[in-house]
C-alpha cells in the first residue's frame, strides 16, 4: 500500500474529526458567508501526494473561501434548498457505506430506496406509482419522457427500445410553459426540441389553457401524443389544472407527464395542497428533492405507473446481473446509471427525522417569506411585481421598460452586497429577477436583509434618463 494512503488509514478517525470540525465551521458561518463565489485559478496537484491532512489544509486555504453560501438562508437563486441536519448525517453515512444501488440481492440498500420512494409517494398521493432515484429534475424528466416515448411506440406497434426512434417517427409533445429540461430531454431521446408544441396559456398566467390543449389534441386526429403539465413553473410557480387535463384522456390518447420538480411540495401545506390535486393521475411524475426537501445535491425521483415500459427502455442485460422483468426491484434496469450512489439515504434520514409535519413547516415558512418579500417589493418605489406570489417565488423587475442588460446589472449589484443572490430571468418578454425560497433556515429576519440589499443595489444603479426608456446603456 502506498505509504501516504496507509498513513491516512491509520489516521482515519482523527482525519474525519478534522473534517467534521471544518464542516461545522462552514455551517456555523453560512449566515454571513458571501452569496457569490470568487473565481480562483487552479494549480497543478503535488506529485507525490502529501496526504489528506495537507489536502484539507489546501482546500480550506485556496478553495473554501470562494465557495458560495448556496446552502444558506438568503441564497434565493434558481430553486436551491440547503441540507437539513438529518440529511447531512445521511449523506455522510452514504459515503461511508458507499453502496452501489443496482442489484437488490447485493444489500438492503435497494430496499431502503424502495421504502424512501414509498414515503415520498405517500406525501404526494401517488397511488399505484413506482419510483426510482435519479440525479435531478433533468434526469427525472428524461426518464419520464423516455417511458412516454416507449408508450407512444406501444400505441403505434413499435418497440422503440429495440427498433429505435427512426421506426417511431415524430412525436408531438404539448405543453403550456415547459421547463428548459424538457427540450433537453427530448434532444437526448432523439425526439428533438422541435417536437414541443406550445399551447396557449391562460391570460397573465403560465398555466395552460385546457380548452386550447383540447383543441391541439383534436388537431392530431387521434395520433398518440405526450402532454407535459406543470405542478409549479419556474418564474411564477403556476400550476396547470391537472384533473382537467387528465380528464381529456377520455377523448384523446396521450401520456401525461407532470413536472413537479419543486411545486409538488405544495402538498405539504394545507393552504396550497389543492394546487397539486390530481397529480396522482400522472403517467409519469418528476420531483426534485435537493430543492424543497433540503437534501444535498444530487437527488430527485421519477415516478411512473408503467414500470414494465421503464424496464423495456433501461434494461441492462449482462451475465452478472439479474434478468429484467416487469416487476424487477433491480434499479439497474430502471434508470440510465449502472453505478448509483445511495442518494436515497439522505432523503430517508430527513423524512424519518422530521416527517411530513416538519417538512410541512418548512414549506409554510418559505411561502410566508416569499409573500413578505413580495409585499415589500410591491411597496418599493422603482420596483414592480410581474406576477402574484403564488407559492415560494417572487418575480419582479424595474419600473419602466427595463433592458436585459440593466436587469443583469441590478442582479450583479444585489449579489455584490454579499447578502443575497437572485436569478435573472425573462417573464412574458420582460427581463426580471426571481427570488426562490426553499431553504430550511430562512426566516423573516432574512427577508428583511434581502429586501434591504435589493433597495441598496437599486439606489446604486445609474439613474440617467435612459434608464427608464428601455434603451441599452452602460451602467
Amino acid at each position: 500500500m502506498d505509504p501516504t494512503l496507509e498513513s491516512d488509514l491509520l489516521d482515519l478517525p482523527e482525519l474525519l474529526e478534522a473534517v467534521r470540525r471544518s464542516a461545522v465551521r462552514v455551517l456555523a458561518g453560512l449566515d454571513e458567508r458571501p452569496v457569490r463565489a470568487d473565481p480562483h485559478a487552479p494549480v497543478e496537484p503535488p506529485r507525490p501526494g502529501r496526504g489528506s491532512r495537507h489536502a484539507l489544509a489546501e482546500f480550506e486555504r485556496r478553495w473554501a473561501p470562494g465557495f458560495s453560501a448556496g446552502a444558506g438562508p438568503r441564497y434565493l437563486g434558481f430553486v436551491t434548498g440547503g441540507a437539513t441536519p438529518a440529511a447531512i448525517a445521511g449523506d455522510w453515512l452514504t459515503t461511508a457505506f458507499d453502496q452501489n444501488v443496482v442489484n437488490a440481492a447485493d444489500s438492503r440498500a435497494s430496499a431502503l430506496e424502495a421504502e424512501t420512494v414509498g414515503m415520498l409517494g405517500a406525501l404526494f398521493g401517488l397511488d399505484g406509482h413506482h419510483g426510482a432515484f435519479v440525479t435531478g429534475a433533468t434526469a427525472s424528466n428524461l426518464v419520464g419522457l423516455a417511458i412516454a416515448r416507449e408508450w407512444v411506440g406501444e400505441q403505434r406497434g413499435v418497440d422503440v427500445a429495440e427498433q429505435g426512434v427512426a421506426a417511431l417517427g415524430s412525436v408531438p409533445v404539448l405543453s403550456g410553459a415547459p421547463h428548459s429540461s424538457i427540450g433537453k430531454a427530448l434532444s437526448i431521446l432523439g425526439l428533438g426540441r422541435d417536437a414541443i408544441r406550445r399551447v396557449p396559456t391562460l391570460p397573465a398566467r403560465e398555466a395552460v389553457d385546457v380548452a386550447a390543449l383540447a383543441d391541439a389534441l383534436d388537431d392530431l386526429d387521434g395520433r398518440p401524443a405526450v402532454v407535459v403539465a406543470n405542478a409549479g413553473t419556474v418564474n411564477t410557480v403556476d400550476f396547470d389544472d391537472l384533473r382537467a387535463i387528465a380528464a381529456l384522456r377520455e377523448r384523446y390518447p396521450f401520456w401525461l407527464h407532470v413536472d413537479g420538480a419543486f411545486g409538488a411540495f405544495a402538498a405539504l401545506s394545507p393552504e396550497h395542497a389543492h394546487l397539486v390535486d390530481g397529480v396522482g393521475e400522472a403517467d409519469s411524475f418528476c420531483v426534485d428533492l435537493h430543492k424543497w426537501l433540503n437534501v444535498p445535491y444530487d437527488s430527485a425521483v421519477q415516478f411512473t405507473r408503467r414500470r414494465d415500459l421503464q424496464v423495456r427502455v433501461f434494461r441492462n442485460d449482462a451475465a452478472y446481473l439479474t434478468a429484467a422483468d416487469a416487476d424487477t426491484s433491480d434499479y439497474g434496469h430502471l434508470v440510465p446509471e449502472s453505478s448509483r450512489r445511495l442518494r436515497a439515504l439522505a432523503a430517508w434520514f430527513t423524512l424519518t427525522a422530521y416527517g411530513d409535519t416538519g417538512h410541512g413547516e418548512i414549506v409554510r415558512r418559505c411561502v410566508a417569506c416569499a409573500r413578505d418579500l413580495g409585499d415589500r417589493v410591491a411597496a418599493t418605489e422603482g420596483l414592480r411585481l410581474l406576477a402574484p406570489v403564488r407559492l415560494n417565488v417572487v418575480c419582479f423587475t424595474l419600473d419602466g421598460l427595463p433592458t436585459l442588460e440593466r436587469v443583469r446589472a441590478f442582479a450583479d449589484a444585489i449579489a455584490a452586497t454579499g447578502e443575497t443572490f437572485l436569478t435573472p430571468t425573462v417573464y412574458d418578454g420582460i427581463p426580471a429577477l426571481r427570488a426562490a425560497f426553499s431553504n430550511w433556515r430562512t426566516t423573516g429576519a432574512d427577508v428583511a436583509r434581502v429586501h434591504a440589499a435589493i433597495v441598496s443595489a437599486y439606489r446604486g444603479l445609474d439613474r440617467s434618463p435612459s434608464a427608464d426608456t428601455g434603451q441599452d446603456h452602460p451602467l
Side-chain angles (χ1 to χ4, degrees), residues 100-123:
N100 183 15
V101 195
V102 174
N103 190 314
D106 185 52
S107 79
R108 293 183 182 177
S110 291
L112 184 144
E113 178 165 336
E115 179 172 298
T116 309
V117 166
M119 296 163 74
L120 291 163
L123 290 181

Side-chain angles (χ1 to χ4, degrees), residues 155-176:
Q155 308 311 298
R156 297 182 184 176
V158 175
D159 186 339
V160 183
E162 297 298 326
Q163 297 172 254
V165 291
L168 179 64
S170 63
V171 176
V173 179
L174 282 58
S175 186

Side-chain angles (χ1 to χ4, degrees), residues 117-473:
V117 166
M119 296 163 74
L120 291 163
L123 290 181
F124 303 126
L126 296 173
D127 297 328
H129 290 73
H130 302 277
F133 272 73
V134 289
T135 56
T138 298
S140 182
N141 282 326
L142 173 67
V143 172
L145 292 173
I147 304 168
R149 182 187 65 180
E150 198 68 19
W151 176 85
V152 174
E154 184 180 66
Q155 308 311 298
R156 297 182 184 176
V158 175
D159 186 339
V160 183
E162 297 298 326
Q163 297 172 254
V165 291
L168 179 64
S170 63
V171 176
V173 179
L174 282 58
S175 186
H179 186 266
S180 61
S181 63
I182 300 299
K184 185 174 184 177
L186 294 173
S187 174
I188 296 170
L189 293 169
L191 299 176
R193 292 183 173 88
D194 286 346
I196 298 176
R197 302 188 184 186
R198 295 283 188 129
V199 180
T201 55
L202 295 171
R205 296 277 301 278
E206 288 184 301
V208 72
D209 184 328
V210 178
L213 177 60
D215 290 340
L217 289 165
D218 196 59
D219 289 342
L220 296 177
D221 294 324
R223 289 175 58 204
V226 177
V227 171
V228 176
N230 287 307
T233 56
V234 168
N235 283 331
T236 66
V237 204
D238 213 343
F239 289 76
D240 290 333
D241 187 336
L242 301 179
R243 284 212 179 275
I245 293 173
L248 295 177
R249 288 185 297 195
E250 297 176 3
R251 289 185 280 159
Y252 307 106
F254 62 88
W255 178 276
L256 177 56
H257 175 77
V258 175
D259 184 352
F262 65 96
F265 286 96
L268 300 186
S269 167
E271 183 183 352
H272 300 92
H274 67 279
L275 294 171
V276 290
D277 183 42
V279 73
E281 300 295 325
D283 296 301
S284 55
F285 175 73
C286 159
V287 63
D288 204 348
L289 307 184
H290 54 238
K291 292 182 169 67
W292 223 340
L293 191 66
N294 280 257
V295 300
Y297 282 91
D298 52 7
S299 183
V301 175
Q302 168 52 224
F303 289 92
T304 185
R305 291 181 178 278
R306 293 293 305 272
R307 176 168 276 197
D308 59 321
L309 296 182
Q310 186 172 5
V311 172
R312 190 187 299 177
V313 175
F314 296 104
R315 187 183 76 237
N316 189 5
D317 296 322
Y320 63 90
L321 298 174
T322 304
D325 59 54
D327 297 320
T328 185
S329 55
D330 287 352
Y331 288 102
H333 296 306
L334 299 172
V335 293
E337 310 96 335
S338 293
S339 298
R340 302 179 69 246
R341 193 172 188 265
L342 182 54
R343 53 179 68 93
L345 185 54
W348 182 93
F349 254 82
T350 199
L351 288 168
T352 301
Y354 312 121
D356 56 356
T357 55
H359 283 282
E361 188 279 329
I362 295 171
V363 169
R364 293 190 298 274
R365 179 157 37 88
C366 285
V367 172
C369 287
R371 286 177 173 172
D372 185 7
L373 181 62
D375 290 343
R376 291 170 184 263
V377 167
T380 301
E381 184 180 358
L383 305 178
R384 61 187 170 103
L385 288 177
L386 287 179
V389 179
R390 296 188 176 92
L391 199 65
N392 65 321
V393 172
V394 182
C395 187
F396 67 99
T397 192
L398 300 163
D399 271 342
L401 299 173
T403 63
L404 186 61
E405 289 76 10
R406 183 167 177 75
V407 169
R408 285 177 174 169
F410 187 25
D412 288 341
I414 292 170
T417 67
E419 284 285 273
T420 189
F421 178 82
L422 311 182
T423 312
T425 190
V426 175
Y427 174 64
D428 196 24
I430 301 173
L433 295 177
R434 49 183 298 284
F437 289 82
S438 53
N439 189 286
W440 67 277
R441 292 171 174 259
T442 308
T443 67
D446 293 302
V447 175
R449 290 177 64 174
V450 167
H451 180 249
I454 291 171
V455 171
S456 174
Y458 174 73
R459 289 173 176 167
L461 286 178
D462 174 20
R463 303 306 301 148
S464 66
S466 63
D468 298 319
T469 65
Q471 301 298 313
D472 291 343
H473 63 281

Side-chain angles (χ1 to χ4, degrees), residues 1-9 48-52:
M1 182 180 291
D2 176 84
T4 306
L5 185 59
E6 184 175 21
S7 175
D8 273 358
L9 176 60
R50 297 170 60 184
S52 296

